[in-house]
Amino acid sequence: AVSLASKAGAHHETAAQVLVAEERVNAMEVEIDSELWTIIARRQPTARDLRLLIILDNCEQVIHGCADLAKRLLQAGSKVKILTSSRDYLQVAGETTYHVPTLSVPTPHETGTLEELLQHEAVRLFVERAAAARRGFRLDSLNMAAVVNICHRLDGIPLAIELAAARMRALSAETISAR
């Protein structure tokens, strides 16, 4: 989704407004709900007075559309900030990039104590999210090899680990590891 968060200046009647419009992806182009553009167009004369934060997630799927959208939104006002997540650069003027590292993971056949495995960020995240998905789940000697394998195969990518752990509602760690 494309989210537009607007915090109006002191001279406006409303102190804060949050507007959300859906993003539709069609043939690698981003089409923004006309309601969002109407709101931006209505505000454009005073856009320099507005502080806007636009969040675009998963841009690598539609990189050219997101880059075009970012350029147009940035032209709406000097206080517009855009936060994107992507594996690719938008290549938009003023773009600043931050590399987000993956979580630490054990080697594929790492054995050790449970405490040693929990030193790895990926294992801790999986265990925390799996426990939230399946009451009573904990890392033990029976499932630790499967958990290590899951975290290693997912390269320590937090979102992938969270999605795998959510599957613990219906599947065991061993089943997830085998898939």
Side-chain angles (χ1 to χ4, degrees):
V2 174
S3 301
L4 169 66
S6 166
K7 187 170 182 181
H11 63 279
H12 292 281
E13 293 180 14
T14 323
Q17 241 179 335
V18 177
L19 307 164
V20 178
E22 288 189 14
E23 165 190 329
R24 288 181 297 280
V25 178
N26 184 9
M28 297 304 285
E29 292 182 18
V30 177
E31 181 183 319
I32 300 301
D33 191 325
S34 61
E35 180 183 350
L36 177 61
W37 286 119
T38 302
I39 291 163
I40 292 171
R42 243 188 288 151
R43 300 273 189 189
Q44 199 154 4
T46 60
R48 297 207 187 287
D49 298 331
L50 295 176
R51 290 181 6 210
L52 299 174
L53 171 63
I54 311 249
I55 301 169
L56 302 173
D57 190 24
N58 211 15
C59 291
E60 67 270 5
Q61 302 297 319
V62 287
I63 194 71
H64 299 296
C66 285
D68 182 55
L69 173 63
K71 286 176 194 172
R72 292 192 297 171
L73 290 171
L74 289 169
Q75 291 170 353
S78 62
K79 295 181 182 177
V80 173
K81 301 289 182 197
I82 299 175
L83 175 65
T84 66
S85 70
S86 180
R87 293 180 181 162
D88 299 317
Y89 301 110
L90 292 183
Q91 298 180 0
V92 174
E95 179 176 23
T96 302
T97 61
Y98 298 96
H99 173 72
V100 180
T102 60
L103 302 176
S104 63
V105 295
T107 59
H109 304 291
E110 187 170 327
T111 56
T113 68
L114 299 177
E115 292 76 25
E116 289 171 339
L117 290 177
L118 286 169
Q119 296 302 309
H120 295 282
E121 299 159 324
V123 173
R124 277 198 315 273
L125 178 62
F126 182 88
V127 170
E128 289 171 9
R129 298 306 190 261
R134 177 183 280 179
R135 180 170 285 163
F137 176 83
R138 64 185 182 82
L139 185 65
D140 60 30
S141 60
L142 298 175
N143 64 21
M144 70 182 204
V147 171
V148 166
N149 187 47
I150 292 166
C151 293
H152 184 268
R153 287 181 52 207
L154 297 176
D155 296 323
I157 299 172
L159 178 59
I161 292 169
E162 292 205 29
L163 293 173
R167 299 186 81 196
M168 290 290 295
R169 287 186 187 104
L171 303 171
S172 68
E174 294 76 17
T175 303
I176 295 168
S177 175
R179 290 184 172 198

